Amino acid sequence: MKDIVVTGMGAICAAGKNIPAILQSFIQEERNPQIPALFKTGLAYPLFEVKDFYAQNNEMRTIALLRHALGEALSSAGAYDRLKERRVGVVIGTTIACQMNDIDFYRNYKEGNDPDYTQVDRFLDSNPAYAVKTMLALNGPAMTVANACSSGTDALGVALSWLKNDLCDMVICGGADELNHVPYCGFGSLSVTSGEPCRPFDRDRKGLNLGEGAGIVILEKRSSNDSQIVLADYASYADAYHLTAPKPGGENLKRAIYKVLKNSGVKPEDIAFVNAHGTSTRDNDKVEGQVLRDIFGETLKFHSTKSYTGHTLGAAGGLEAVFACLGLREGWIAKNLGFENIDPEIGIAPVRSKSSVNGRYALSTSLAFGGNNSVLLFKIG
Amino acid sequence: MYINGIGLVDAKAELNISGMRRAGRFAKLAVAAATAAVKDSSLSLSGTETGIILATAFGPHATTFEFLDNILTYSEKEVSPTLFSHSVHNAAAFYVAAALNATGPTLSVTDFYHPFYQALSLARFWLKTGMCKEVLVGKSEESGKVMSDIVMVSSRPEVTIQEGALFILLGTQDNAKPYRHQFIDSPFEEKDMAKVANSLRL
């Protein structure tokens, strides 16, 4: 079976509106979470907004972010010319775009104030995968994954299945989500948001900061002998333990990591680095950090890029897949901003500075509401 | 690939399911249908090799609007974390996984066209490649006044929301059930899930 390779990537998030800008933010260790500007709120949890970015013509902001990253991904793949002649599928993860989370509309509806019903049309037209399928007139399958914070990672897993089973020649995959007042209140109610910039894996971390963005990967079957990034495998297991908290011990995150390693004949010491989920919540980082320590030991290079992007929910897996590929391609990974002290319950530290990475393999991990533990294995070669 | 069991729950069902007091009707419908499909199969699930794919068009919209009510009624600091966590689309799949101790891959997919067909198609690949020994593939929809009202006055009033849930247990083993259909790969209309289930029982 031919390798499934990454032929294009695109990204937009608070760290930058394209991949070169994001890499520059990583190099300069820049981040700037702020009190929300996109909506009015009395809460004071900082957010990672994409600045000076506006949706046009009543388009949902999530779709606008997706369209932006998609353009970069298709351009970098040189794929526009191939779209019509090939079986092109789309699978996109999201959390916001599949819900009618419009407080202003709902207030007017409840109060009988003649709400703007074009907002309902906007909702019905904003299924992300179908939006892409429609805008590019594609002829393959379209699927929107609503798997909470692992949606983007699981979307790449679906894409891998489609390509391995010859349903498609090319798949546009990833995740997209906008910042929205409703989950902002919701995550606040769960007491998992921090009033300070997030500090993934740090002993004194106080919670996550929400973010927004889109990360898109173009996957195709290998057609050249050039060195490329390969999506080697995907695995996912459920905790079936708690709706919002990971299972202590991380048994099924371990199972997912071991599965992709075994399927690809890769040893733990072959992993150059891990782009971890690293939300900066007490529970996530403890379970994930312990699992990484148990499998890879103290010498593992790992980081959470959420300290640059915030937690972008359905977009996170897509963005972090892009960042894992960039790490392999560029030969370095970004400093885990905000980390100062090892949490004794975790026992290992993420990278404290921009770090070179050597090796052919990288992992991207995602944990989610609902107890999902999803893992992607990339290799270069 | 074989259809080993079918579970169907309609809008009239009373859903008093142990351990789901806080869950909304969307999740309860899904759990009832998935549990019925497993019971119908007379098979024991294999835990880590049991996958779940839940398709939906609208998800737990009644819970979402209840959470919006919460935001409008109380201060932003006083909204219910329980309502919020149950308003996400994949809460239902979590409850299915927990009820059946199914810890393989769990996926929720959504669109307004053919989510169930997409789910079935993916389940076939999960089985074919050995990712799972069996896959529970289902669709759940709940009814709700707000969503029905607003969709009716949108520019797409033809979109209808019917309440109910259907789950099919797909596996690689023939468990000699009377329908014994091998699932190949054919899309079908999703408008009436009861018709789908009945057609499979021929």
Side-chain angles (χ1 to χ4, degrees):
Chain A
M1 185 183 295
K2 286 183 179 176
D3 282 342
I4 305 304
V5 294
V6 175
T7 57
M9 295 184 283
I12 180 170
C13 58
K17 292 178 189 161
N18 52 50
I19 287 172
I22 292 167
L23 287 172
Q24 202 57 33
S25 291
F26 287 171
I27 290 169
Q28 294 177 349
E29 299 174 5
E30 287 178 347
R31 64 168 171 173
N32 194 20
Q34 293 181 339
I35 296 304
L38 285 168
F39 48 82
K40 290 179 183 173
T41 176
L43 301 176
Y45 307 118
L47 296 176
F48 284 83
E49 289 182 1
V50 179
K51 296 281 166 34
D52 302 321
F53 181 85
Y54 306 98
Q56 305 290 326
N57 303 321
N58 201 33
E59 188 171 56
M60 187 180 277
R61 186 172 171 88
T62 298
I63 303 301
L65 291 163
L66 171 56
R67 180 195 293 274
H68 188 93
L70 176 66
E72 184 182 22
L74 289 172
S75 294
S76 66
Y80 281 108
D81 293 343
R82 304 201 296 279
L83 295 178
K84 287 212 164 38
E85 66 202 39
R86 307 189 74 189
R87 298 170 299 163
V88 181
V90 190
V91 51
I92 305 293
T94 192
T95 66
I96 301 298
C98 57
Q99 292 186 308
M100 186 66 193
N101 273 341
D102 189 326
I103 293 180
D104 290 336
F105 172 88
Y106 188 63
R107 181 187 292 110
N108 285 327
Y109 166 84
K110 290 283 286 184
E111 295 173 355
N113 289 337
D114 191 22
D116 176 7
Y117 281 102
T118 64
Q119 299 308 302
V120 183
D121 295 334
R122 188 178 77 150
F123 163 64
L124 294 172
D125 291 337
S126 294
N127 182 276
Y130 272 84
V132 172
K133 183 180 168 83
T134 303
M135 71 176 79
L136 297 173
L138 303 176
N139 57 12
M143 176 183 279
T144 293
V145 174
N147 241 23
C149 310
S150 66
S151 299
T153 299
D154 295 319
L156 268 76
V158 172
L160 189 63
S161 273
W162 286 355
L163 287 158
K164 280 184 171 176
N165 287 282
D166 199 33
L167 185 67
C168 301
D169 304 310
M170 177 194 297
V171 182
I172 296 164
C173 53
D177 254 335
E178 70 191 72
L179 281 165
N180 180 288
H181 193 180
V182 175
Y184 182 70
C185 295
F187 277 93
S189 74
L190 289 166
S191 301
V192 294
T193 42
S194 173
E196 306 165 1
C198 62
R199 306 173 67 178
F201 297 105
D202 185 74
R203 180 191 66 195
D204 302 318
R205 64 192 181 278
K206 292 190 169 75
L208 59 80
N209 309 136
L210 290 173
E212 63 179 353
I216 297 298
V217 172
I218 309 295
L219 294 176
E220 299 182 68
K221 295 169 191 166
R222 187 193 283 273
S223 60
S224 84
N225 292 324
D226 297 342
S227 178
Q228 288 178 289
I229 307 288
V230 177
L231 176 52
D233 204 14
Y234 157 82
S236 182
Y237 289 96
D239 286 341
Y241 165 73
H242 190 277
L243 181 54
T244 59
K247 188 174 184 180
E251 173 190 340
N252 279 340
L253 175 60
K254 277 184 190 169
R255 193 184 300 276
I257 292 173
Y258 277 128
K259 184 168 185 180
V260 296
L261 296 179
K262 184 181 175 190
N263 284 351
S264 300
V266 175
K267 296 173 186 167
E269 56 267 33
D270 296 332
I271 296 297
F273 69 93
V274 176
N275 184 306
H277 192 57
T279 57
S280 190
T281 61
R282 299 300 313 176
D283 286 348
N284 176 88
D285 290 10
K286 177 181 169 184
V287 169
E288 189 179 22
Q290 289 174 343
V291 165
L292 295 179
R293 177 200 65 200
D294 290 351
I295 295 176
F296 299 101
E298 293 179 11
T299 58
L300 173 71
K301 289 186 176 177
F302 73 103
H303 67 160
S304 167
T305 41
K306 287 186 175 67
S307 53
Y308 298 83
T309 65
H311 190 352
T312 58
L313 304 178
L319 281 167
E320 289 157 22
V322 169
F323 300 156
C325 293
L326 291 173
L328 285 174
R329 189 186 80 184
E330 302 290 319
W332 59 269
I333 58 173
K335 172 183 175 177
N336 190 109
L337 283 179
F339 178 85
E340 291 177 10
N341 297 299
I342 290 182
D343 181 340
E345 289 192 299
I346 296 174
I348 56 173
V351 293
R352 297 170 187 264
S353 60
K354 174 175 171 277
S355 297
S356 62
V357 289
N358 299 306
R360 295 175 59 208
Y361 295 94
L363 290 175
S364 181
T365 53
S366 292
L367 289 74
F369 264 28
N372 304 324
N373 303 280
S374 299
V375 177
L376 297 167
L377 174 66
F378 294 98
K379 76 172 179 181
I380 188 164
Chain B
M1 257 145 272
Y2 294 90
I3 295 168
N4 292 139
I6 297 171
L8 179 70
V9 178
D10 65 20
K12 297 170 195 159
E14 287 191 23
L15 300 167
N16 298 315
I17 302 171
S18 172
M20 294 192 70
R21 184 173 53 84
R22 294 177 169 183
R25 193 162 170 83
F26 175 72
K28 288 177 180 172
L29 286 161
V31 169
T35 305
V38 175
K39 187 177 177 186
D40 184 47
S41 75
S42 306
L43 296 175
S44 298
L45 299 182
S46 48
T48 57
E49 293 181 282
T50 305
I52 297 167
I53 308 178
L54 174 58
T56 183
F58 289 92
H61 53 90
T63 308
T64 299
F65 290 125
E66 209 178 331
F67 186 65
L68 296 188
D69 273 330
N70 233 236
I71 294 173
L72 294 177
T73 306
Y74 305 107
S75 84
E76 292 170 302
K77 289 181 180 172
E78 293 172 321
V79 294
S80 161
T82 301
L83 272 180
F84 173 64
S85 58
H86 287 80
S87 72
V88 300
H89 272 49
N90 70 325
F94 158 75
Y95 276 108
V96 172
L100 298 169
N101 194 28
T103 53
T106 299
L107 199 68
S108 296
V109 300
T110 182
D111 69 60
F112 301 115
Y113 303 96
H114 304 291
F116 192 36
Y117 165 58
Q118 300 284 359
L120 277 172
S121 177
L122 183 64
R124 189 168 63 103
F125 294 151
W126 283 9
L127 290 168
K128 187 178 160 190
T129 57
M131 192 167 160
C132 298
K133 280 187 179 169
E134 63 265 328
V135 183
L136 274 159
V137 190
K139 188 178 183 202
S140 182
E141 299 294 347
E142 65 178 359
S143 60
K145 182 179 184 309
V146 180
M147 189 63 85
S148 296
D149 279 359
I150 65 177
V151 168
M152 200 180 301
V153 293
S154 73
S155 64
R156 293 167 63 186
E158 76 281 4
V159 176
T160 57
I161 308 172
Q162 292 180 324
E163 182 165 286
L166 166 70
F167 260 89
I168 295 174
L169 180 64
L170 287 177
T172 51
Q173 290 187 328
D174 179 2
N175 69 337
K177 277 287 172 185
Y179 21 94
R180 295 182 71 180
H181 286 306
Q182 286 193 42
F183 171 59
I184 300 172
D185 195 9
S186 59
F188 45 74
E189 287 294 316
E190 295 182 27
K191 287 181 180 173
D192 189 335
M193 289 191 286
K195 280 183 188 170
V196 174
N198 288 332
S199 70
L200 292 170
R201 289 180 195 279
L202 286 172

